[in-house]
Amino acid sequence: MEMDSNKQPDCISSVIPGWFSEISPMWPGEAHSLKVEKILFQGKSDYQNVMVFQSSTYGKVLILDGVIQLTERDECAYQEMITHLPLCSIPNPKKVLVIGGGDGGVLREVSRHSSVEKIDICEIDKMVVDVSKQFFPDVAVGFEDPRVTLHIGDGVAFLKAVPEGTYDAVIVDSSDPIGPAQELFEKPFFESVAKALRPGGVVSTQAESIWLHMHIIEDIVANCRQIFKGSVNYAWTTVPTYPSGVIGFMLCSTEGPPVDFKHPVNPIDADDSHCNSSKGPLKFYNSEIHTAAFCLPTFAKKVIESK
Ligand code: SAM
């Protein structure tokens, strides 16, 4: 892994000296900024620019191609919600696949579920895994679970090779639809996810922001309604360092009795003993916020329900 913490990357000090500003065509006209105490790593993999810096208020921060992926302070919200919204909605998840998720945070959350016997992860960029293990050990702890098998490769190709009905749950913890994750937001990929799931299986995907990306969300919802014959739902949560301070999730189930995502049948609340393992306690998710995550503002509800 090349280290070059001397050269200032473009996204630093381009707006305010000593600050990181998240400038992207995905959110024109706005940019969230964080004060940079020290740049800890900069590298370029075959897929993206990778940077880690120490911020003054959110701990260490992981950046891919100039976009915030996680901060130590608020990663719990995203990792816990994208994982427990699906896994707490089915009674006995056993085989789980994570696409993306190279920081290990979703793995950490999946491994809280004692019913899970096998966790596959397909992450395209080994540099993300290595950097997370070096700078975010409390996130990358997920890789230490013996049930985890790491595959380095493209999630699109991986899913094409998966036998039909293999998994109870698929979690698509991808970056944005610019760069290597673009195909993870398209119909053929969702079709391959549905094929890889058993009847009544569930998928949870990173589904952008209702404030910024309703056009992307409505396309995803329309595709999911055609593909997933159980239930199709959109949920959201707050992550202060994501653009507009929120992020959403598509929660869908395959054919069979529709999964009722809004009322968890397999709760994993903060006071569960097995929560307080080496992964630390749950910091964000609980059964009430699970149900609340599906309550949408009117402007979003109208678009999503019309698809
Ligand atoms: N929480 C973040 C968010 O909401 O944007 C996502 C974090 S995780 C680091 C995103 C991961 O997806 C990255 O490690 C990236 O390398 C991976 N990724 C992007 N495209 C991929 C693909 N086609 N197959 C597998 N992994 C992919």
Side-chain angles (χ1 to χ4, degrees):
M1 256 190 328
E2 68 189 75
M3 282 282 275
D4 173 9
S5 52
N6 302 317
K7 182 173 137 328
Q8 286 282 61
D10 299 345
C11 51
I12 294 237
S13 79
S14 57
V15 182
I16 318 162
W19 287 63
F20 163 80
S21 291
E22 192 182 40
I23 295 165
S24 166
M26 284 280 294
W27 33 91
E30 56 186 277
H32 186 234
S33 299
L34 289 173
K35 190 160 184 351
V36 178
E37 297 297 325
K38 182 174 178 7
I39 297 174
L40 302 172
F41 175 83
Q42 283 184 87
K44 185 166 178 43
S45 73
D46 294 340
Y47 301 96
Q48 51 211 339
N49 289 303
V50 181
M51 180 169 70
V52 178
F53 65 81
Q54 181 68 46
S55 72
S56 56
T57 48
Y58 277 85
K60 290 197 281 293
V61 183
L62 173 64
I63 307 286
L64 297 181
D65 279 347
V67 176
I68 294 171
Q69 301 297 309
L70 71 88
T71 82
E72 287 181 311
R73 179 171 162 196
D74 65 2
E75 56 89 10
C76 58
Y78 172 85
Q79 318 280 16
E80 293 180 22
M81 292 296 275
I82 196 171
T83 305
H84 302 309
L85 286 177
L87 297 192
C88 292
S89 296
I90 52 176
N92 205 16
K94 287 189 168 62
K95 294 176 80 174
V96 180
L97 169 63
V98 179
I99 299 293
D103 51 69
V106 167
L107 295 177
R108 178 192 66 204
E109 297 308 316
V110 173
S111 68
R112 291 182 196 276
H113 290 262
S114 47
S115 67
V116 171
E117 297 164 358
K118 178 172 175 44
I119 310 168
D120 285 325
I121 176 171
C122 181
E123 161 58 57
I124 201 165
D125 193 342
K126 187 173 179 304
M127 185 179 278
V128 175
V129 177
D130 295 341
V131 164
S132 188
K133 287 179 176 177
Q134 181 175 355
F135 295 101
F136 300 93
D138 294 344
V139 180
V141 64
F143 286 105
E144 294 168 16
D145 191 293
R147 294 167 287 179
V148 171
T149 305
L150 170 62
H151 307 265
I152 296 296
D154 185 342
V156 176
F158 184 88
L159 267 169
K160 280 182 185 153
V162 168
E164 201 153 334
T166 301
Y167 295 103
D168 299 296
V170 175
I171 299 170
V172 186
D173 174 17
S174 72
S175 29
D176 299 312
I178 288 186
Q182 186 161 351
E183 286 188 77
L184 304 182
F185 289 78
E186 293 172 0
K187 191 170 181 181
F189 175 73
F190 286 113
E191 286 166 339
S192 65
V193 169
K195 179 179 76 60
L197 284 168
R198 65 162 171 76
V202 293
V203 59
S204 173
T205 78
Q206 189 267 93
E208 304 301 347
S209 161
I210 56 173
W211 286 112
L212 300 171
H213 305 121
M214 276 318 301
H215 55 299
I216 295 175
I217 294 166
E218 63 182 318
D219 288 347
I220 294 174
V221 171
N223 286 334
C224 286
R225 291 216 196 282
Q226 289 177 29
I227 296 164
F228 294 98
K229 298 305 176 193
S231 64
V232 173
N233 307 261
Y234 188 90
W236 66 316
T237 196
T238 165
V239 182
T241 55
Y242 280 166
S244 76
V246 303
I247 190 111
F249 311 100
M250 282 310 300
L251 278 300
C252 307
S253 63
T254 52
E255 71 280 3
V259 170
D260 174 5
F261 285 100
K262 298 177 184 177
H263 302 96
V265 293
N266 177 25
I268 183 169
D269 284 316
D271 55 354
D272 289 352
S273 55
H274 54 268
C275 273
N276 302 316
S277 58
S278 60
K279 299 120 192 155
L282 285 172
K283 296 179 187 163
F284 190 91
Y285 176 89
N286 58 56
S287 295
E288 293 80 17
I289 210 164
H290 177 128
T291 301
F294 293 88
C295 299
L296 300 175
T298 302
F299 74 89
K301 205 170 146 73
K302 266 186 188 160
V303 170
I304 288 165
E305 291 182 354
S306 69
K307 290 293 145 198

